[in-house]
Amino acid sequence: MKIAIGSDHGGYNLKEAIKKHLEKKGIEYRDFGTNGLESVDYPEFAMKVGEAVKSEEYERGILCCGTGIGISISANKVPGIRCAAVSDAFSAEMSRAHNNANILALGERVTGQGLALKIVDIWIETGFEGGRHGTRVEKIGDIEVKYSK
Ligand code: RB5
């Protein structure tokens, strides 16, 4: 699995920790920035990672900001992106099993690093259940189509 990863300054340290974690697990990733603690605007990095996942060059994305909220709202503006802001293990699992989330958003100022890395593991390993959840996810796509005209 190839993962696109990005953050703003508020999520930079967590992004770096996730990169090391992915390396240890032998999971391929590309870092779309930011590259330091200087203040930046999270929508730019959300868009880069969102577009990388939409292009299908990367199967999944992981985004970090201070709360996980701004960067997830932004990523969800890219058509085809289902980005879930997650701060607990159960939601991590359900965001994959029921919502087929293709981007995970985490908040460095919300979730401790140990839990955040556990969430990453669960989120990577959990598959989409499909069935009735597939119908619902398709209906999310229908909303995008309706408002893209
Ligand atoms: C940056 O200070 C902070 O607002 C950002 O990282 C994020 O939490 C926004 O949702």
Side-chain angles (χ1 to χ4, degrees), residues 1-6 22 27-32 48-63 80-83 92-93 95-97 100-105 119-128:
M1 179 187 300
K2 279 169 76 179
I3 296 184
I5 187 164
L22 295 178
I27 295 175
E28 196 180 337
Y29 69 83
R30 178 174 160 196
D31 183 357
F32 286 81
K48 285 180 187 175
V49 169
E51 288 177 347
V53 172
K54 181 180 167 45
S55 76
E56 294 182 2
E57 192 179 344
Y58 295 84
E59 196 178 331
R60 308 257 198 101
I62 298 177
L63 287 166
I81 294 306
R82 292 176 300 281
C83 179
E93 188 181 342
S95 76
R96 287 287 313 129
N100 201 14
N102 48 14
I103 299 185
L104 169 68
I119 286 171
V120 166
D121 287 344
I122 292 167
W123 190 78
I124 286 172
E125 286 157 19
T126 305
F128 180 47

mmCIF file of all heavy atoms in Angstrom, residues 1-6 22 27-32 48-63 80-83 92-93 95-97 100-105 119-128:
data_model
loop_
_atom_site.group_PDB
_atom_site.id
_atom_site.type_symbol
_atom_site.label_atom_id
_atom_site.label_comp_id
_atom_site.label_asym_id
_atom_site.label_seq_id
_atom_site.Cartn_x
_atom_site.Cartn_y
_atom_site.Cartn_z
ATOM 1 N N MET A 1 0.848 -1.201 0.000
ATOM 2 C CA MET A 1 0.000 0.000 0.000
ATOM 3 C C MET A 1 0.885 1.253 0.000
ATOM 4 O O MET A 1 1.843 1.324 0.756
ATOM 5 C CB MET A 1 -0.869 -0.013 1.267
ATOM 6 C CG MET A 1 -1.768 1.190 1.381
ATOM 7 S SD MET A 1 -2.631 1.278 2.959
ATOM 8 C CE MET A 1 -3.558 -0.243 2.952
ATOM 9 N N LYS A 2 0.539 2.220 -0.877
ATOM 10 C CA LYS A 2 1.286 3.488 -0.904
ATOM 11 C C LYS A 2 0.443 4.566 -0.229
ATOM 12 O O LYS A 2 -0.731 4.746 -0.579
ATOM 13 C CB LYS A 2 1.573 3.889 -2.355
ATOM 14 C CG LYS A 2 2.767 3.162 -2.949
ATOM 15 C CD LYS A 2 2.860 3.377 -4.443
ATOM 16 C CE LYS A 2 3.377 4.750 -4.799
ATOM 17 N NZ LYS A 2 3.478 4.933 -6.271
ATOM 18 N N ILE A 3 1.054 5.267 0.698
ATOM 19 C CA ILE A 3 0.321 6.259 1.483
ATOM 20 C C ILE A 3 0.878 7.657 1.228
ATOM 21 O O ILE A 3 2.101 7.860 1.279
ATOM 22 C CB ILE A 3 0.395 5.915 2.986
ATOM 23 C CG1 ILE A 3 -0.317 4.578 3.238
ATOM 24 C CG2 ILE A 3 -0.226 7.027 3.829
ATOM 25 C CD1 ILE A 3 -0.404 4.166 4.685
ATOM 26 N N ALA A 4 -0.024 8.606 0.949
ATOM 27 C CA ALA A 4 0.350 10.015 0.839
ATOM 28 C C ALA A 4 0.159 10.635 2.220
ATOM 29 O O ALA A 4 -0.863 10.423 2.869
ATOM 30 C CB ALA A 4 -0.540 10.716 -0.179
ATOM 31 N N ILE A 5 1.157 11.384 2.679
ATOM 32 C CA ILE A 5 1.093 11.932 4.034
ATOM 33 C C ILE A 5 1.386 13.430 3.998
ATOM 34 O O ILE A 5 2.162 13.893 3.160
ATOM 35 C CB ILE A 5 2.058 11.136 4.964
ATOM 36 C CG1 ILE A 5 1.901 11.564 6.405
ATOM 37 C CG2 ILE A 5 3.497 11.180 4.538
ATOM 38 C CD1 ILE A 5 2.524 10.561 7.382
ATOM 39 N N GLY A 6 0.716 14.173 4.879
ATOM 40 C CA GLY A 6 0.938 15.616 4.918
ATOM 41 C C GLY A 6 0.447 16.206 6.222
ATOM 42 O O GLY A 6 -0.294 15.559 6.971
ATOM 43 N N LEU A 22 5.774 4.160 9.837
ATOM 44 C CA LEU A 22 5.513 3.491 8.551
ATOM 45 C C LEU A 22 6.799 2.841 8.028
ATOM 46 O O LEU A 22 6.763 1.738 7.477
ATOM 47 C CB LEU A 22 4.954 4.483 7.527
ATOM 48 C CG LEU A 22 3.569 5.080 7.840
ATOM 49 C CD1 LEU A 22 3.174 6.081 6.754
ATOM 50 C CD2 LEU A 22 2.499 4.006 7.974
ATOM 51 N N ILE A 27 6.072 0.191 5.132
ATOM 52 C CA ILE A 27 4.983 0.719 4.291
ATOM 53 C C ILE A 27 5.499 1.933 3.526
ATOM 54 O O ILE A 27 6.080 2.858 4.101
ATOM 55 C CB ILE A 27 3.757 1.085 5.149
ATOM 56 C CG1 ILE A 27 3.169 -0.179 5.775
ATOM 57 C CG2 ILE A 27 2.699 1.821 4.310
ATOM 58 C CD1 ILE A 27 2.036 0.050 6.741
ATOM 59 N N GLU A 28 5.264 1.921 2.214
ATOM 60 C CA GLU A 28 5.752 2.985 1.352
ATOM 61 C C GLU A 28 4.892 4.241 1.521
ATOM 62 O O GLU A 28 3.667 4.152 1.592
ATOM 63 C CB GLU A 28 5.661 2.497 -0.108
ATOM 64 C CG GLU A 28 6.463 3.312 -1.084
ATOM 65 C CD GLU A 28 6.326 2.793 -2.512
ATOM 66 O OE1 GLU A 28 5.983 1.593 -2.694
ATOM 67 O OE2 GLU A 28 6.547 3.587 -3.425
ATOM 68 N N TYR A 29 5.546 5.400 1.574
ATOM 69 C CA TYR A 29 4.785 6.653 1.674
ATOM 70 C C TYR A 29 5.514 7.759 0.919
ATOM 71 O O TYR A 29 6.701 7.647 0.609
ATOM 72 C CB TYR A 29 4.592 7.063 3.145
ATOM 73 C CG TYR A 29 5.864 7.491 3.825
ATOM 74 C CD1 TYR A 29 6.347 8.797 3.693
ATOM 75 C CD2 TYR A 29 6.614 6.595 4.568
ATOM 76 C CE1 TYR A 29 7.523 9.189 4.294
ATOM 77 C CE2 TYR A 29 7.793 6.979 5.175
ATOM 78 C CZ TYR A 29 8.244 8.278 5.029
ATOM 79 O OH TYR A 29 9.426 8.651 5.605
ATOM 80 N N ARG A 30 4.765 8.837 0.637
ATOM 81 C CA ARG A 30 5.403 10.069 0.158
ATOM 82 C C ARG A 30 4.926 11.215 1.022
ATOM 83 O O ARG A 30 3.720 11.340 1.285
ATOM 84 C CB ARG A 30 5.050 10.329 -1.308
ATOM 85 C CG ARG A 30 5.668 11.629 -1.805
ATOM 86 C CD ARG A 30 5.467 11.876 -3.280
ATOM 87 N NE ARG A 30 5.656 13.281 -3.574
ATOM 88 C CZ ARG A 30 5.260 13.877 -4.697
ATOM 89 N NH1 ARG A 30 4.650 13.182 -5.632
ATOM 90 N NH2 ARG A 30 5.468 15.157 -4.866
ATOM 91 N N ASP A 31 5.871 12.032 1.438
ATOM 92 C CA ASP A 31 5.568 13.179 2.292
ATOM 93 C C ASP A 31 5.314 14.411 1.427
ATOM 94 O O ASP A 31 6.202 14.867 0.702
ATOM 95 C CB ASP A 31 6.755 13.410 3.232
ATOM 96 C CG ASP A 31 6.504 14.534 4.220
ATOM 97 O OD1 ASP A 31 5.443 15.182 4.144
ATOM 98 O OD2 ASP A 31 7.388 14.767 5.063
ATOM 99 N N PHE A 32 4.111 14.964 1.504
ATOM 100 C CA PHE A 32 3.728 16.142 0.728
ATOM 101 C C PHE A 32 3.912 17.439 1.530
ATOM 102 O O PHE A 32 3.399 18.473 1.154
ATOM 103 C CB PHE A 32 2.282 15.993 0.241
ATOM 104 C CG PHE A 32 2.125 15.001 -0.884
ATOM 105 C CD1 PHE A 32 2.050 13.633 -0.632
ATOM 106 C CD2 PHE A 32 2.076 15.427 -2.207
ATOM 107 C CE1 PHE A 32 1.921 12.711 -1.673
ATOM 108 C CE2 PHE A 32 1.946 14.519 -3.257
ATOM 109 C CZ PHE A 32 1.872 13.150 -2.997
ATOM 110 N N LYS A 48 -3.079 18.805 -1.543
ATOM 111 C CA LYS A 48 -2.032 17.981 -2.174
ATOM 112 C C LYS A 48 -2.257 16.491 -1.901
ATOM 113 O O LYS A 48 -2.192 15.658 -2.808
ATOM 114 C CB LYS A 48 -0.647 18.381 -1.646
ATOM 115 C CG LYS A 48 -0.143 19.683 -2.208
ATOM 116 C CD LYS A 48 1.230 20.009 -1.653
ATOM 117 C CE LYS A 48 1.635 21.411 -2.093
ATOM 118 N NZ LYS A 48 2.895 21.843 -1.511
ATOM 119 N N VAL A 49 -2.512 16.167 -0.645
ATOM 120 C CA VAL A 49 -2.715 14.754 -0.296
ATOM 121 C C VAL A 49 -4.036 14.257 -0.883
ATOM 122 O O VAL A 49 -4.114 13.137 -1.414
ATOM 123 C CB VAL A 49 -2.650 14.556 1.240
ATOM 124 C CG1 VAL A 49 -3.129 13.175 1.644
ATOM 125 C CG2 VAL A 49 -1.215 14.788 1.727
ATOM 126 N N GLY A 50 -5.067 15.099 -0.832
ATOM 127 C CA GLY A 50 -6.361 14.715 -1.416
ATOM 128 C C GLY A 50 -6.231 14.408 -2.902
ATOM 129 O O GLY A 50 -6.752 13.395 -3.393
ATOM 130 N N GLU A 51 -5.515 15.248 -3.611
ATOM 131 C CA GLU A 51 -5.344 15.031 -5.054
ATOM 132 C C GLU A 51 -4.497 13.786 -5.334
ATOM 133 O O GLU A 51 -4.738 13.072 -6.306
ATOM 134 C CB GLU A 51 -4.736 16.277 -5.706
ATOM 135 C CG GLU A 51 -5.760 17.417 -5.763
ATOM 136 C CD GLU A 51 -5.213 18.717 -6.339
ATOM 137 O OE1 GLU A 51 -3.978 18.836 -6.475
ATOM 138 O OE2 GLU A 51 -6.043 19.599 -6.638
ATOM 139 N N ALA A 52 -3.520 13.535 -4.475
ATOM 140 C CA ALA A 52 -2.674 12.334 -4.649
ATOM 141 C C ALA A 52 -3.511 11.065 -4.500
ATOM 142 O O ALA A 52 -3.331 10.084 -5.232
ATOM 143 C CB ALA A 52 -1.535 12.341 -3.633
ATOM 144 N N VAL A 53 -4.451 11.084 -3.551
ATOM 145 C CA VAL A 53 -5.311 9.910 -3.345
ATOM 146 C C VAL A 53 -6.351 9.832 -4.463
ATOM 147 O O VAL A 53 -6.614 8.750 -5.000
ATOM 148 C CB VAL A 53 -5.967 9.958 -1.945
ATOM 149 C CG1 VAL A 53 -7.002 8.847 -1.794
ATOM 150 C CG2 VAL A 53 -4.902 9.850 -0.865
ATOM 151 N N LYS A 54 -6.900 10.969 -4.834
ATOM 152 C CA LYS A 54 -7.888 10.976 -5.923
ATOM 153 C C LYS A 54 -7.284 10.440 -7.227
ATOM 154 O O LYS A 54 -7.935 9.727 -7.986
ATOM 155 C CB LYS A 54 -8.412 12.402 -6.152
ATOM 156 C CG LYS A 54 -9.465 12.476 -7.245
ATOM 157 C CD LYS A 54 -9.969 13.863 -7.466
ATOM 158 C CE LYS A 54 -10.779 13.988 -8.754
ATOM 159 N NZ LYS A 54 -11.737 12.926 -8.967
ATOM 160 N N SER A 55 -6.005 10.731 -7.455
ATOM 161 C CA SER A 55 -5.333 10.287 -8.694
ATOM 162 C C SER A 55 -5.127 8.770 -8.721
ATOM 163 O O SER A 55 -4.754 8.213 -9.745
ATOM 164 C CB SER A 55 -3.960 10.952 -8.801
ATOM 165 O OG SER A 55 -3.049 10.320 -7.899
ATOM 166 N N GLU A 56 -5.308 8.133 -7.560
ATOM 167 C CA GLU A 56 -5.135 6.689 -7.369
ATOM 168 C C GLU A 56 -3.676 6.252 -7.411
ATOM 169 O O GLU A 56 -3.383 5.067 -7.376
ATOM 170 C CB GLU A 56 -6.003 5.871 -8.341
ATOM 171 C CG GLU A 56 -7.489 6.085 -8.048
ATOM 172 C CD GLU A 56 -8.417 5.268 -8.938
ATOM 173 O OE1 GLU A 56 -7.921 4.500 -9.773
ATOM 174 O OE2 GLU A 56 -9.634 5.423 -8.776
ATOM 175 N N GLU A 57 -2.748 7.227 -7.495
ATOM 176 C CA GLU A 57 -1.334 6.857 -7.368
ATOM 177 C C GLU A 57 -1.066 6.407 -5.932
ATOM 178 O O GLU A 57 -0.211 5.555 -5.680
ATOM 179 C CB GLU A 57 -0.459 8.056 -7.726
ATOM 180 C CG GLU A 57 0.987 7.660 -7.904
ATOM 181 C CD GLU A 57 1.886 8.821 -8.277
ATOM 182 O OE1 GLU A 57 1.387 9.880 -8.698
ATOM 183 O OE2 GLU A 57 3.120 8.631 -8.142
ATOM 184 N N TYR A 58 -1.807 6.991 -5.005
ATOM 185 C CA TYR A 58 -1.706 6.599 -3.591
ATOM 186 C C TYR A 58 -3.062 6.056 -3.172
ATOM 187 O O TYR A 58 -4.097 6.684 -3.415
ATOM 188 C CB TYR A 58 -1.303 7.812 -2.729
ATOM 189 C CG TYR A 58 0.076 8.286 -3.096
ATOM 190 C CD1 TYR A 58 0.253 9.155 -4.171
ATOM 191 C CD2 TYR A 58 1.190 7.804 -2.443
ATOM 192 C CE1 TYR A 58 1.527 9.543 -4.559
ATOM 193 C CE2 TYR A 58 2.471 8.184 -2.821
ATOM 194 C CZ TYR A 58 2.621 9.052 -3.889
ATOM 195 O OH TYR A 58 3.883 9.417 -4.276
ATOM 196 N N GLU A 59 -3.023 4.885 -2.547
ATOM 197 C CA GLU A 59 -4.281 4.218 -2.169
ATOM 198 C C GLU A 59 -4.959 4.934 -0.999
ATOM 199 O O GLU A 59 -6.185 5.033 -0.936
ATOM 200 C CB GLU A 59 -3.928 2.781 -1.780
ATOM 201 C CG GLU A 59 -5.089 1.845 -1.736
ATOM 202 C CD GLU A 59 -4.603 0.436 -1.381
ATOM 203 O OE1 GLU A 59 -3.448 0.080 -1.708
ATOM 204 O OE2 GLU A 59 -5.387 -0.291 -0.758
ATOM 205 N N ARG A 60 -4.131 5.424 -0.077
ATOM 206 C CA ARG A 60 -4.661 6.092 1.119
ATOM 207 C C ARG A 60 -3.816 7.319 1.462
ATOM 208 O O ARG A 60 -2.678 7.444 1.013
ATOM 209 C CB ARG A 60 -4.628 5.157 2.327
ATOM 210 C CG ARG A 60 -5.267 3.824 2.128
ATOM 211 C CD ARG A 60 -6.634 3.699 2.768
ATOM 212 N NE ARG A 60 -6.919 2.283 2.859
ATOM 213 C CZ ARG A 60 -6.796 1.571 3.968
ATOM 214 N NH1 ARG A 60 -6.473 2.155 5.102
ATOM 215 N NH2 ARG A 60 -7.027 0.264 3.965
ATOM 216 N N GLY A 61 -4.395 8.166 2.320
ATOM 217 C CA GLY A 61 -3.665 9.338 2.799
ATOM 218 C C GLY A 61 -3.781 9.475 4.303
ATOM 219 O O GLY A 61 -4.747 8.980 4.907
ATOM 220 N N ILE A 62 -2.799 10.130 4.886
ATOM 221 C CA ILE A 62 -2.841 10.467 6.315
ATOM 222 C C ILE A 62 -2.472 11.948 6.439
ATOM 223 O O ILE A 62 -1.465 12.397 5.877
ATOM 224 C CB ILE A 62 -1.867 9.605 7.148
ATOM 225 C CG1 ILE A 62 -2.242 8.117 7.044
ATOM 226 C CG2 ILE A 62 -1.884 10.056 8.612
ATOM 227 C CD1 ILE A 62 -1.284 7.156 7.772
ATOM 228 N N LEU A 63 -3.319 12.697 7.146
ATOM 229 C CA LEU A 63 -3.107 14.132 7.334
ATOM 230 C C LEU A 63 -3.101 14.462 8.821
ATOM 231 O O LEU A 63 -3.886 13.897 9.591
ATOM 232 C CB LEU A 63 -4.233 14.920 6.653
ATOM 233 C CG LEU A 63 -4.201 14.971 5.132
ATOM 234 C CD1 LEU A 63 -5.540 15.475 4.584
ATOM 235 C CD2 LEU A 63 -3.063 15.881 4.650
ATOM 236 N N GLY A 80 -14.283 12.671 -4.324
ATOM 237 C CA GLY A 80 -13.831 11.288 -4.160
ATOM 238 C C GLY A 80 -13.107 11.043 -2.842
ATOM 239 O O GLY A 80 -12.795 9.897 -2.515
ATOM 240 N N ILE A 81 -12.840 12.123 -2.105
ATOM 241 C CA ILE A 81 -12.143 11.948 -0.822
ATOM 242 C C ILE A 81 -13.154 11.772 0.304
ATOM 243 O O ILE A 81 -14.139 12.511 0.412
ATOM 244 C CB ILE A 81 -11.208 13.150 -0.540
ATOM 245 C CG1 ILE A 81 -10.084 13.178 -1.568
ATOM 246 C CG2 ILE A 81 -10.656 13.075 0.894
ATOM 247 C CD1 ILE A 81 -9.282 11.888 -1.716
ATOM 248 N N ARG A 82 -12.892 10.752 1.121
ATOM 249 C CA ARG A 82 -13.655 10.538 2.356
ATOM 250 C C ARG A 82 -12.639 10.554 3.482
ATOM 251 O O ARG A 82 -11.984 9.544 3.758
ATOM 252 C CB ARG A 82 -14.410 9.200 2.302
ATOM 253 C CG ARG A 82 -15.537 9.167 1.264
ATOM 254 C CD ARG A 82 -16.189 7.807 1.182
ATOM 255 N NE ARG A 82 -15.228 6.785 0.818
ATOM 256 C CZ ARG A 82 -14.792 6.562 -0.432
ATOM 257 N NH1 ARG A 82 -15.270 7.274 -1.438
ATOM 258 N NH2 ARG A 82 -13.893 5.623 -0.669
ATOM 259 N N CYS A 83 -12.471 11.726 4.063
ATOM 260 C CA CYS A 83 -11.459 11.911 5.102
ATOM 261 C C CYS A 83 -12.134 11.908 6.470
ATOM 262 O O CYS A 83 -13.074 12.670 6.697
ATOM 263 C CB CYS A 83 -10.715 13.226 4.873
ATOM 264 S SG CYS A 83 -9.469 13.559 6.138
ATOM 265 N N ALA A 92 -11.547 4.758 14.347
ATOM 266 C CA ALA A 92 -10.570 4.421 13.305
ATOM 267 C C ALA A 92 -11.036 3.190 12.534
ATOM 268 O O ALA A 92 -11.044 3.160 11.297
ATOM 269 C CB ALA A 92 -9.199 4.161 13.938
ATOM 270 N N GLU A 93 -11.458 2.170 13.290
ATOM 271 C CA GLU A 93 -11.916 0.924 12.661
ATOM 272 C C GLU A 93 -13.186 1.172 11.837
ATOM 273 O O GLU A 93 -13.300 0.738 10.688
ATOM 274 C CB GLU A 93 -12.177 -0.116 13.754
ATOM 275 C CG GLU A 93 -12.477 -1.493 13.213
ATOM 276 C CD GLU A 93 -12.766 -2.494 14.329
ATOM 277 O OE1 GLU A 93 -12.413 -2.242 15.495
ATOM 278 O OE2 GLU A 93 -13.365 -3.534 14.008
ATOM 279 N N SER A 95 -14.333 3.930 10.568
ATOM 280 C CA SER A 95 -14.144 4.828 9.420
ATOM 281 C C SER A 95 -13.705 4.059 8.191
ATOM 282 O O SER A 95 -13.955 4.475 7.058
ATOM 283 C CB SER A 95 -13.148 5.946 9.740
ATOM 284 O OG SER A 95 -11.816 5.455 9.719
ATOM 285 N N ARG A 96 -13.066 2.917 8.412
ATOM 286 C CA ARG A 96 -12.674 2.052 7.302
ATOM 287 C C ARG A 96 -13.790 1.044 6.990
ATOM 288 O O ARG A 96 -14.193 0.896 5.838
ATOM 289 C CB ARG A 96 -11.389 1.279 7.663
ATOM 290 C CG ARG A 96 -10.141 2.141 7.662
ATOM 291 C CD ARG A 96 -9.683 2.516 6.260
ATOM 292 N NE ARG A 96 -9.680 1.327 5.435
ATOM 293 C CZ ARG A 96 -10.284 1.256 4.237
ATOM 294 N NH1 ARG A 96 -10.899 2.298 3.713
ATOM 295 N NH2 ARG A 96 -10.234 0.134 3.556
ATOM 296 N N ALA A 97 -14.267 0.343 8.006
ATOM 297 C CA ALA A 97 -15.219 -0.757 7.794
ATOM 298 C C ALA A 97 -16.544 -0.255 7.241
ATOM 299 O O ALA A 97 -17.141 -0.880 6.363
ATOM 300 C CB ALA A 97 -15.444 -1.508 9.101
ATOM 301 N N ASN A 100 -15.435 3.494 4.451
ATOM 302 C CA ASN A 100 -14.385 3.366 3.430
ATOM 303 C C ASN A 100 -13.557 4.654 3.325
ATOM 304 O O ASN A 100 -13.263 5.129 2.216
ATOM 305 C CB ASN A 100 -14.991 2.991 2.070
ATOM 306 C CG ASN A 100 -13.964 2.359 1.134
ATOM 307 O OD1 ASN A 100 -12.880 1.956 1.567
ATOM 308 N ND2 ASN A 100 -14.293 2.275 -0.144
ATOM 309 N N ALA A 101 -13.212 5.217 4.484
ATOM 310 C CA ALA A 101 -12.405 6.444 4.497
ATOM 311 C C ALA A 101 -11.090 6.193 3.769
ATOM 312 O O ALA A 101 -10.413 5.195 4.024
ATOM 313 C CB ALA A 101 -12.127 6.879 5.930
ATOM 314 N N ASN A 102 -10.755 7.108 2.858
ATOM 315 C CA ASN A 102 -9.481 6.935 2.146
ATOM 316 C C ASN A 102 -8.399 7.886 2.661
ATOM 317 O O ASN A 102 -7.240 7.780 2.244
ATOM 318 C CB ASN A 102 -9.655 7.023 0.624
ATOM 319 C CG ASN A 102 -10.465 8.212 0.171
ATOM 320 O OD1 ASN A 102 -10.693 9.132 0.941
ATOM 321 N ND2 ASN A 102 -10.905 8.184 -1.084
ATOM 322 N N ILE A 103 -8.787 8.787 3.553
ATOM 323 C CA ILE A 103 -7.782 9.602 4.255
ATOM 324 C C ILE A 103 -8.128 9.624 5.741
ATOM 325 O O ILE A 103 -9.303 9.775 6.119
ATOM 326 C CB ILE A 103 -7.703 11.041 3.698
ATOM 327 C CG1 ILE A 103 -7.290 11.018 2.211
ATOM 328 C CG2 ILE A 103 -6.712 11.873 4.506
ATOM 329 C CD1 ILE A 103 -7.065 12.390 1.586
ATOM 330 N N LEU A 104 -7.102 9.483 6.558
ATOM 331 C CA LEU A 104 -7.218 9.572 8.016
ATOM 332 C C LEU A 104 -6.645 10.916 8.447
ATOM 333 O O LEU A 104 -5.549 11.284 8.023
ATOM 334 C CB LEU A 104 -6.400 8.440 8.659
ATOM 335 C CG LEU A 104 -6.168 8.509 10.172
ATOM 336 C CD1 LEU A 104 -7.472 8.301 10.929
ATOM 337 C CD2 LEU A 104 -5.125 7.474 10.593
ATOM 338 N N ALA A 105 -7.391 11.651 9.264
ATOM 339 C CA ALA A 105 -6.876 12.912 9.815
ATOM 340 C C ALA A 105 -6.721 12.773 11.325
ATOM 341 O O ALA A 105 -7.602 12.256 12.011
ATOM 342 C CB ALA A 105 -7.814 14.064 9.480
ATOM 343 N N ILE A 119 -3.947 4.107 16.224
ATOM 344 C CA ILE A 119 -5.034 4.447 15.301
ATOM 345 C C ILE A 119 -4.578 4.231 13.856
ATOM 346 O O ILE A 119 -5.310 3.670 13.030
ATOM 347 C CB ILE A 119 -5.497 5.908 15.540
ATOM 348 C CG1 ILE A 119 -6.305 5.986 16.847
ATOM 349 C CG2 ILE A 119 -6.289 6.458 14.356
ATOM 350 C CD1 ILE A 119 -6.628 7.404 17.313
ATOM 351 N N VAL A 120 -3.353 4.657 13.559
ATOM 352 C CA VAL A 120 -2.803 4.467 12.204
ATOM 353 C C VAL A 120 -2.789 2.980 11.855
ATOM 354 O O VAL A 120 -3.230 2.571 10.768
ATOM 355 C CB VAL A 120 -1.388 5.082 12.094
ATOM 356 C CG1 VAL A 120 -0.673 4.605 10.833
ATOM 357 C CG2 VAL A 120 -1.462 6.602 12.130
ATOM 358 N N ASP A 121 -2.310 2.150 12.774
ATOM 359 C CA ASP A 121 -2.239 0.698 12.517
ATOM 360 C C ASP A 121 -3.626 0.113 12.247
ATOM 361 O O ASP A 121 -3.820 -0.626 11.273
ATOM 362 C CB ASP A 121 -1.628 -0.026 13.721
ATOM 363 C CG ASP A 121 -0.131 0.211 13.831
ATOM 364 O OD1 ASP A 121 0.466 0.666 12.849
ATOM 365 O OD2 ASP A 121 0.421 -0.060 14.911
ATOM 366 N N ILE A 122 -4.564 0.436 13.105
ATOM 367 C CA ILE A 122 -5.935 -0.090 12.942
ATOM 368 C C ILE A 122 -6.505 0.375 11.602
ATOM 369 O O ILE A 122 -7.108 -0.406 10.854
ATOM 370 C CB ILE A 122 -6.839 0.385 14.107
ATOM 371 C CG1 ILE A 122 -6.404 -0.281 15.415
ATOM 372 C CG2 ILE A 122 -8.317 0.111 13.815
ATOM 373 C CD1 ILE A 122 -7.022 0.345 16.661
ATOM 374 N N TRP A 123 -6.309 1.638 11.313
ATOM 375 C CA TRP A 123 -6.890 2.236 10.109
ATOM 376 C C TRP A 123 -6.295 1.623 8.830
ATOM 377 O O TRP A 123 -6.992 1.386 7.854
ATOM 378 C CB TRP A 123 -6.669 3.756 10.144
ATOM 379 C CG TRP A 123 -7.429 4.482 9.095
ATOM 380 C CD1 TRP A 123 -8.763 4.810 9.091
ATOM 381 C CD2 TRP A 123 -6.901 4.975 7.865
ATOM 382 N NE1 TRP A 123 -9.081 5.469 7.929
ATOM 383 C CE2 TRP A 123 -7.963 5.595 7.170
ATOM 384 C CE3 TRP A 123 -5.629 4.973 7.286
ATOM 385 C CZ2 TRP A 123 -7.799 6.193 5.919
ATOM 386 C CZ3 TRP A 123 -5.469 5.560 6.046
ATOM 387 C CH2 TRP A 123 -6.535 6.160 5.381
ATOM 388 N N ILE A 124 -4.998 1.313 8.883
ATOM 389 C CA ILE A 124 -4.345 0.695 7.715
ATOM 390 C C ILE A 124 -4.830 -0.743 7.524
ATOM 391 O O ILE A 124 -5.045 -1.196 6.402
ATOM 392 C CB ILE A 124 -2.801 0.755 7.869
ATOM 393 C CG1 ILE A 124 -2.319 2.186 7.633
ATOM 394 C CG2 ILE A 124 -2.111 -0.213 6.899
ATOM 395 C CD1 ILE A 124 -0.847 2.406 7.935
ATOM 396 N N GLU A 125 -5.007 -1.445 8.643
ATOM 397 C CA GLU A 125 -5.302 -2.882 8.569
ATOM 398 C C GLU A 125 -6.779 -3.207 8.328
ATOM 399 O O GLU A 125 -7.105 -4.324 7.912
ATOM 400 C CB GLU A 125 -4.849 -3.560 9.880
ATOM 401 C CG GLU A 125 -3.333 -3.698 9.949
ATOM 402 C CD GLU A 125 -2.813 -3.820 11.384
ATOM 403 O OE1 GLU A 125 -3.608 -4.165 12.286
ATOM 404 O OE2 GLU A 125 -1.619 -3.554 11.588
ATOM 405 N N THR A 126 -7.675 -2.265 8.574
ATOM 406 C CA THR A 126 -9.103 -2.575 8.485
ATOM 407 C C THR A 126 -9.626 -2.395 7.059
ATOM 408 O O THR A 126 -9.366 -1.376 6.411
ATOM 409 C CB THR A 126 -9.918 -1.673 9.458
ATOM 410 O OG1 THR A 126 -9.372 -1.827 10.766
ATOM 411 C CG2 THR A 126 -11.396 -2.054 9.463
ATOM 412 N N GLY A 127 -10.377 -3.393 6.597
ATOM 413 C CA GLY A 127 -10.966 -3.346 5.259
ATOM 414 C C GLY A 127 -12.393 -2.811 5.296
ATOM 415 O O GLY A 127 -13.030 -2.761 6.353
ATOM 416 N N PHE A 128 -12.876 -2.441 4.121
ATOM 417 C CA PHE A 128 -14.255 -1.942 3.975
ATOM 418 C C PHE A 128 -15.205 -3.132 3.912
ATOM 419 O O PHE A 128 -14.956 -4.092 3.171
ATOM 420 C CB PHE A 128 -14.333 -1.101 2.704
ATOM 421 C CG PHE A 128 -15.691 -0.521 2.421
ATOM 422 C CD1 PHE A 128 -16.418 0.118 3.414
ATOM 423 C CD2 PHE A 128 -16.233 -0.607 1.142
ATOM 424 C CE1 PHE A 128 -17.672 0.658 3.151
ATOM 425 C CE2 PHE A 128 -17.480 -0.052 0.869
ATOM 426 C CZ PHE A 128 -18.198 0.563 1.871
#
